[in-house]
Amino acid sequence: WAKSSDCCSWDGITCNAKSGEVIELDFSCSCFHGILNANSSLFKLQKLRVLNLDNNDFESSMIPTQFNKLMELTRLNLSDSWFSGIIPTELLHLTKLVSLDLDSNSLSAEKSFLSKLVQNLTNLEELYLGLVNISSEIPQNISNLSSLKSLSLDDCNLIGEFPSSLFLIPTIQSINLNGNQDMEGTLPEFNVNNSLVSLDLSWIKLLGNIPYSIKNLKHLNTLKLQFCKFHGKIPSSFGNLFNLTYLDLSSNRFDGQIPSSFVNLEQLTTLRVGSNMLSGNFPLSLLNLTKLTDLSLADNHFKGSLPPNMSLLSNLETFDASDNTFNGTLPSSLFNIPSLTSIVLKNNQLNGILEFGNSSSPSKLERQHISDLDLSNNKIKGQVPQWVWKLPQLMILNLSTNSFTGLEIFSNDFPRPKIILLDLSLNAFQGPLVIPPVYMEALLVSQNNFTGKIPRSICQLSSLQVLDLSNNNFTGSIPWCLKKLNNDLSVLNLRNNQLSGNIPEIFTNATELISLDVSHNKLVGTLPRSLKSCSSLEVFNVGDNKINDTFPFGLNTLPKLQVLVLRNNKFNGLLYNPHQTFGFSKLQIIDIANNHFTGNLPSHYFADWNMTTPKDFSGFDYIGYGGSYYRDSMVLMSKGVEMELERIFTLLTAIDFSGNKLGGKIPQSIGMLKDLILLNMSSNDFTGNIPSSLANLTQLESLDLSHNKLSGQIPPTLGDLTSLSNITVSHNQLVGPIPQRAQFQTQDAWSFEENFGLCGLPLSKSCGNVDMEQPQEQESEEEEEEEEVISWIAAAIALAPGLIFGLTIGHIVIT
């Protein structure tokens, strides 16, 4: 814009040819930044008819009320421009408006806003209020907007009855009410005389069936009805919607088969019917829909084999038929569709070997665009064909949970694809691991029978972020060359192999490492001092080895460490260092069970521990690496039972000091860890009374103090711990009555056995006339010192029916 020139010649400005007055301003995507003030000269343009301020940044300011001065406005677009606050009702004075767009801001509206709008803006043809917090019903008289063509009220927190009167507007062409989950109702019978082209009612509770009269929407090209709770059959009358290009019926309760009349939907490019209860064989009528680019049949009850002539869908780009019971071999014709980018067939019963027909010829491979191939959890066997590595666009290859036995011999005479994920876990691979000729970010080969040494060629995968070789039979030492991966490696899991030797000093500058698990091997020596460099480390598990070292106080400065597992080794020495605080500011789970730690713990030992957890129960979250294809796991001991847990729930806190030689009193400061879920101090030499401060642990779900030398009575206040579901105090010197509270009475008798002075249920020994709830003797405050400790394996599933364990999802293997 040049000040010396006429503004009517400037970009975005249109003037009246005769009067020279500005009548249109189009400043969309103009990088405006700041607040639109009430005294802006904009509001002096009283002949303005069109104003477009779309896609600018008005810094979360409010819409000025002065817009009501622009009474000639017919089109106003303030969408996606960072306005906030309540929509001024002064906008409703602009009675000449035919288009109002306030979409995608942070706006809210008075509850009467829509009713007033219907009364005042009777000339409206387009109304876009997406993401405006309206929180009211759509007025039934909305049909008074007799010229309305397009209505968008998506994600507006609308409530109440679905307004069927919308369909009475003769001019209406587009309706979008997506995301208003508090609206409900049923679809009306549709008249023949309508103009609907696009209809999106996703997430509205539209109970019942789709009416047969849906066939009357003859102009419809887009229909989105996912998450609407429809049930019954999909009407065959859909076959009359000849102009339909986009159909989404996913996440409802439709049953039966896809109607054969779908053969008529020849313009269809997107068909999504996933997450229903549809059944039958693959609908052959769909093979006639040659314009399909997106086909999803996932999460239904389809069965039988996939048709051999899948290549008839010559424009298909994404195909998802996961979570069904399709069987037979994978048709090779599927891979002859050059446009195909994603094939997801996980969780079926496909079998046979992986064959791709003639598509393995070099010329055809060059034309393939497959980037995502997921065949996990099927019954496919044989070898992984070598030409898979020649797919030039391949990024995700998931062949896990099948019966593959090997990789075909491959050559290096082709460009290497850059694969984000290669998952070969849970198969029947055996022998040495041969690294495919590809660049990888994640390599998962767990739960196979790979043998021999870890191949040094892994160290050449310079972009590797996740390496999971767990649950195999690798032997030899951990390769020193793994330090070459320190720039990017986030996960190193070598768990449950036959590795031996020391853990090498390879972690200097491993600042991206989040999870390190070398448990269940035959490793010896001491912990590498370079671990102090792992500033991102959250999970450290060296359990079940033969490591001979003292407690790793040097790791207490790691700012993110949440899980420390040292169990079943030869760690020794004290857990208390009087010259420094405990540190470990984020620690939630510590397991040092079955080592040789000694000494007493002072009464204030736990005073500076910071075992707190987030209190957000809104959704599941897990400790460790955040990728969707890898989660940290662990072993948990409870009541002598070992459980394999697949997840480490963020709300879980645990201390397991069991199986050592710790003595003295259990510190009273244990009662300060109010978020503690599991406490196991069993099989030590603790003496004195059970700390009464345990009654402060209101979240505690499991308590094991068995096999010590504890004396006195069980504190009756422990009966107030309503979350406590597992209590074990057997093999001590306790006396007196067992508290007669539900938490105690639901335990087995063996949880209290070998305490010759205990009486009362669930033991058979009666207490006679002894007061069943007499107070415990006063405990002494005597303290002794020792070093700090951590231990326990990260966990996330039902140890007992407590809340946190009950919420945790995982796989349990009882050994």
Side-chain angles (χ1 to χ4, degrees), residues 212-262:
Y212 188 82
S213 58
I214 192 82
K215 68 176 184 178
N216 293 330
L217 304 181
K218 55 187 177 182
H219 301 293
L220 204 62
N221 65 29
T222 299
L223 180 60
K224 299 179 181 180
L225 298 175
Q226 67 263 38
F227 292 98
C228 289
K229 297 190 176 180
F230 285 118
H231 58 78
K233 304 290 190 293
I234 297 175
S236 61
S237 57
F238 266 105
N240 289 43
L241 303 180
F242 303 117
N243 293 307
L244 205 58
T245 61
Y246 192 112
L247 176 59
D248 192 341
L249 303 177
S250 59
S251 300
N252 284 285
R253 299 171 184 171
F254 292 115
D255 56 26
Q257 300 185 6
I258 292 179
S260 59
S261 60
F262 271 44

Side-chain angles (χ1 to χ4, degrees), residues 631-643:
R631 292 293 183 188
D632 289 285
S633 61
M634 60 181 286
V635 169
L636 168 65
M637 289 293 297
S638 176
K639 294 188 176 182
V641 176
E642 185 175 278
M643 292 184 285

Side-chain angles (χ1 to χ4, degrees), residues 101 154 183 348 468 557 565 596 630 656 780:
D101 191 347
D154 54 301
M183 289 184 69
N348 278 284
D468 185 358
T557 58
V565 181
H596 304 299
Y630 178 86
D656 190 344
S780 71

Side-chain angles (χ1 to χ4, degrees), residues 6 19 154 186 217 263 334 378 394 454 470 475 504 575 630 650:
D6 183 1
S19 66
D154 54 301
T186 57
L217 304 181
V263 72
L334 190 60
N378 281 282
L394 190 63
I454 295 174
S470 63
T475 56
L575 294 176
Y630 178 86
T650 52

Side-chain angles (χ1 to χ4, degrees), residues 2 68 137 181 218 315 335 372 650 728 737 788 802 815:
N68 65 354
E137 298 183 4
Q181 300 183 44
K218 55 187 177 182
N315 291 293
F335 298 90
D372 183 355
T650 52
T728 308
E788 304 169 331
T815 59

Side-chain angles (χ1 to χ4, degrees), residues 638-639 701-704 723-728 747 751 799-800:
S638 176
K639 294 188 176 182
E701 297 181 13
S702 179
L703 173 64
D704 191 346
S723 296
L724 195 60
S725 55
N726 172 34
I727 308 167
T728 308
Q747 305 298 312
S751 295
L799 160 73

